[in-house]
Structure formats: structure tokens, C-alpha cells
């Protein structure tokens, strides 16, 4: 169980930090001239790197142990293929959830 | 309940909220929970830089509201209309378009948080609801991988996080893996150059 003090400290600090990140460039937008190429290049890498670090462990390490031969890894590959081919987020989500529920029924 | 709503209103970024809760739930410390959440939210830095030129005419107060409401979906939809085939030319309409999209997401998110806090416990455990989160982020990850540098960033970011977890880096694994991915993508981008460097701003706008 999480202590209330710990929970609120996390909430407030994450809130302040997240707002600062979101406001960063927007706040100086009126006097923003050019962003140096190296900074632009690194900024562009953030979504791919961070989202992948979030997604991959959930697919191939669902129970805290590396395991590629289980439903979630298979469903992840299927969903990635669907998302890539169709670009349809809703379809990717619904098909992915459906496939996982189906596979878990089959494998018990 | 109060914590859930407070978290959703003050932070308003789902994946980071869940990651922080998971770390605290497993007995992790506040600093690591906050650091991991901010790592996940670091991508808003790129969205902020990308939207900034389109919001340069807006007042400071409006821009702060734009910042607070910034999400993956609001960013993706708005930038599509600010740059795409028929870009919105009028700054005030750009702002209104963005706020319309972003406020819709905000209301949906807050409503769903309350519904979840009240009724989430009655969903049977046999439904793997928690898997919707990696799936949703997978759907965002796929379009973010467009060329060699972003492939490198995604591969190193993902595999790096898994390796860090295997080596026992625990809660810090995402921060380590994602940082390695950003560096790898930047290095690959510097080596091969990049045809899509202008993705951060409107094409031909001199990098603004």
C-alpha cells in the first residue's frame, strides 16, 4: 500500500516536471528563431526511444522474466504489423486486445 | 479516488501516471517514480518544440494552456492540420482547433479516471485490461519510426531497457534504456544525415 504523503509528493513533483517539459519551447515561442541541428535531431529521437522502452518489456518480459514464447509477444508483433499497414489506432487496439483474450483462453 | 483524480488533473499523462504508481506500489522511492514518469513524458519536449512556431502569435496565457493540454493525440491531430495538404493559415483558428481537440481529450481522460476509480475494481481479472496501455503506445510508436535514426532509437531504447531490467537496474531501467536510445538515434542521424530533419517545423520554414 502506498503512503498518502509519498503518493502526493510523487503527484505534485511529476505534475510540476511534466508541465515544465510541456511548456518549455511553447513558452519562448515568440522569440524562438532556430533550434540547433543537434538539438533538433535528439528531440526527434525521444518518442521512438521512450515509447519503445515502455512497450518492449511489456511484450517480452510480462512477468518480470524474459520470455518470447508467450501470447503477449505474439500479439505485440501482430499489433505492430497492423498499425504499420493500416495506421489505424482503434483497429490496432481492438484487434490486439481481442487476440490476447483469445490466445489466453486457448492456452489457459 | 482523490489521489487518482489529483494525478490525472495535475499530471494528465497516462503512461507516466501508471509507471509511477507501479514503482510506488512495489515499494520504490518517490525520486525514482518521479524520474521514470518524467522520462516517459520527455517526448512532450519534442512536441512542444514542434508546436511552438505555430503558436508564436498566441498570448502567453494561451500558450500555457496549450502546454498543459499537450498530449500525443492532440499533438498528432493538430500538427496534421497545421502542416498537411491544406494547412490552417490563421493563427487564431489554429489555436481554436488545437484547444477543441485537446479539451476533448482532457474531458474524456478526467471522466474515465473517475469512472475507473469508482468501478474499475468490478472488471474481472480475466480481462487483461492493463495490456491496453502497451498496445496504445505501440500504436504511437509505429508512426514515430520513420527512418534509419528513429529505427536505431527504437531498437536501442527497447532492447536497452530490457537488458537493463535483466541486469537488475530495476525501476531505473527505462531511464537508462531510453537515454541510450536517444543517443544512438542522434549518433546514427549525425552519421547518415536525415531527410526528415524538417519534421519538427513546417517544411521550408528555415527551421523555426
Amino acid at each position: 500500500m502506498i503512503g498518502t504523503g509519498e503518493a502526493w509528493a510523487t503527484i505534485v513533483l511529476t505534475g510540476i516536471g511534466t508541465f515544465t517539459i510541456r511548456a518549455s519551447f511553447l513558452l519562448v515561442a515568440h522569440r524562438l528563431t532556430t533550434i540547433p541541428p543537434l538539438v533538433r535531431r535528439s528531440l526527434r529521437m525521444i518518442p521512438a526511444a521512450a515509447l519503445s522502452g515502455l512497450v518492449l518489456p511489456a511484450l517480452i518480459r510480462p512477468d518480470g522474466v524474459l520470455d518470447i514464447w508467450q501470447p503477449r509477444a505474439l500479439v505485440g508483433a501482430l499489433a505492430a504489423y497492423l498499425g504499420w499497414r493500416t495506421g489505424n489506432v482503434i483497429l490496432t487496439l481492438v484487434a490486439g486486445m481481442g487476440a490476447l483474450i483469445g490466445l489466453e483462453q486457448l492456452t489457459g | 479516488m482523490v489521489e487518482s483524480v489529483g494525478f490525472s488533473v495535475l499530471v494528465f499523462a497516462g503512461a507516466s501516471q501508471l509507471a509511477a504508481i507501479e514503482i510506488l506500489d512495489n515499494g520504490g522511492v518517490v525520486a525514482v517514480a518521479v524520474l521514470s514518469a518524467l522520462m516517459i513524458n520527455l517526448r512532450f519536449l519534442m512536441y512542444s518544440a514542434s508546436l511552438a512556431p505555430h503558436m508564436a502569435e498566441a498570448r502567453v496565457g494561451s500558450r500555457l494552456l496549450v502546454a498543459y493540454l499537450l498530449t500525443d493525440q492532440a499533438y498528432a491531430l493538430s500538427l496534421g492540420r497545421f502542416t498537411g495538404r491544406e494547412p490552417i493559415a490563421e493563427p487564431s483558428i489554429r489555436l481554436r482547433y488545437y484547444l477543441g481537440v485537446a479539451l476533448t481529450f482532457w474531458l474524456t481522460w478526467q471522466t474515465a479516471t473517475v469512472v475507473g476509480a469508482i468501478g474499475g475494481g468490478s472488471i474481472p481479472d480475466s480481462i487483461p485490461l492493463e495490456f491496453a496501455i502497451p498496445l496504445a503506445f505501440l500504436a504511437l510508436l509505429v508512426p514515430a519510426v520513420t527512418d534509419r535514426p528513429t529505427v536505431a532509437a527504437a531498437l536501442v531504447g527497447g532492447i536497452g531497457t530490457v537488458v537493463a531490467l535483466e541486469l537488475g537496474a530495476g525501476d531505473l531501467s527505462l531511464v537508462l534504456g531510453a537515454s541510450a536510445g536517444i543517443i544512438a538515434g542522434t549518433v546514427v542521424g549525425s552519421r547518415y544525415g536525415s531527410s526528415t530533419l524538417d519534421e519538427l517545423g513546417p517544411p521550408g520554414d528555415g527551421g523555426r
Side-chain angles (χ1 to χ4, degrees), chain A residues 27 74 76 104:
Chain A
L27 200 59
L74 191 66
E104 284 193 338

Side-chain angles (χ1 to χ4, degrees), chain B residues 22-41:
Chain B
E22 197 182 315
I23 289 173
L24 288 185
D25 242 349
N26 296 331
V29 289
V30 170
V32 176
V34 173
L35 194 63
S36 303
L38 294 183
M39 190 72 220
I40 295 168
N41 292 342

Side-chain angles (χ1 to χ4, degrees), chain A residues 22-32 35, chain B residues 45-58 63 66 70 75 79 82 94 200-202 208:
Chain A
R22 279 172 166 146
S24 56
F25 285 95
L26 277 164
L27 200 59
V28 295
H30 56 296
R31 44 196 175 88
L32 202 63
I35 302 171
Chain B
L45 200 62
M46 180 211 144
Y47 302 162
S48 184
S50 177
L51 278 179
H54 303 285
M55 295 291 163
E57 283 88 355
R63 275 186 269 138
V66 168
L70 189 53
Y75 166 75
L79 200 77
F82 296 169
R94 274 204 295 264
L200 272 184
R208 272 196 62 198

Side-chain angles (χ1 to χ4, degrees), chain A residues 1-2 4-30 32-35 37-61 64-66 71-73 75-77 79-81 83-85 88-89 92-97 100-101 104-105, chain B residues 2-3 6-7 10-13 15 20-21 24-25 30 33-34 37-49 51-52 55-56 60 63-64 66-68 70 128-132 134-142 144 146-147 149-150 153-154 157-159 161-162 165-166 174 178 181-182 185-186 189-190 194 196-200 206-208:
Chain A
M1 196 59 210
I2 307 170
T4 310
E6 279 189 313
W8 280 107
T10 305
I11 291 168
V12 170
L13 289 174
T14 306
I16 293 171
T18 302
F19 181 73
T20 308
I21 292 171
R22 279 172 166 146
S24 56
F25 285 95
L26 277 164
L27 200 59
V28 295
H30 56 296
L32 202 63
T33 49
T34 51
I35 302 171
L38 187 66
V39 177
R40 287 157 63 84
R41 205 170 284 156
S42 353
L43 282 172
R44 209 168 64 79
M45 297 306 138
I46 296 172
L51 293 173
S52 182
L54 208 58
V55 171
L56 198 61
L59 298 182
I60 65 173
R61 217 174 166 278
V65 191
L66 192 62
R72 283 167 197 234
V75 169
Y81 178 77
W84 175 56
R85 294 302 298 196
N88 189 327
V89 176
T92 307
L93 271 173
V94 172
M97 287 305 285
L100 181 63
I101 292 170
E104 284 193 338
Q105 294 288 325
Chain B
V2 181
E3 279 93 346
F7 217 170
L10 284 179
V11 178
F12 186 46
I21 290 169
L24 288 185
D25 242 349
V30 170
V34 173
L38 294 183
M39 190 72 220
I40 295 168
N41 292 342
L42 200 60
R43 66 190 189 287
F44 295 134
L45 200 62
M46 180 211 144
Y47 302 162
S48 184
L51 278 179
M55 295 291 163
V60 174
R63 275 186 269 138
L64 288 178
V66 168
Y68 168 68
L70 189 53
L129 205 57
E130 80 291 343
F131 193 64
L135 266 184
F137 281 89
L138 183 63
L140 287 169
L141 169 64
V142 171
T146 52
D147 53 9
T150 45
I159 296 170
T161 305
V162 170
L165 283 165
E166 288 296 315
L174 176 66
I182 293 166
T186 308
S190 306
S194 173
T196 47
L197 253 186
D198 277 326
E199 219 169 73
L200 272 184
R208 272 196 62 198

Side-chain angles (χ1 to χ4, degrees), chain B residues 42-160:
Chain B
L42 200 60
R43 66 190 189 287
F44 295 134
L45 200 62
M46 180 211 144
Y47 302 162
S48 184
S50 177
L51 278 179
H54 303 285
M55 295 291 163
E57 283 88 355
R59 285 179 296 123
V60 174
S62 306
R63 275 186 269 138
L64 288 178
L65 184 62
V66 168
Y68 168 68
L69 294 171
L70 189 53
T71 56
D72 299 283
Q73 294 83 356
Y75 166 75
L77 276 176
S78 298
L79 200 77
R81 289 304 307 272
F82 296 169
T83 55
R85 210 167 298 155
E86 289 173 45
I88 304 172
E90 180 64 42
S92 66
I93 297 180
R94 274 204 295 264
L95 179 63
R96 263 183 281 172
Y97 179 87
Y98 175 90
L99 291 180
V101 168
L103 276 168
T104 309
F105 281 118
W106 188 87
L107 270 179
T108 310
W109 185 248
Q110 306 307 343
T111 311
T113 300
V114 175
V115 172
I118 295 170
S122 58
I123 295 170
D125 284 344
S126 58
I127 296 177
L129 205 57
E130 80 291 343
F131 193 64
I133 296 138
L135 266 184
F137 281 89
L138 183 63
L140 287 169
L141 169 64
V142 171
V145 177
T146 52
D147 53 9
R148 232 184 314 209
T150 45
V151 168
L155 282 178
V156 175
I159 296 170

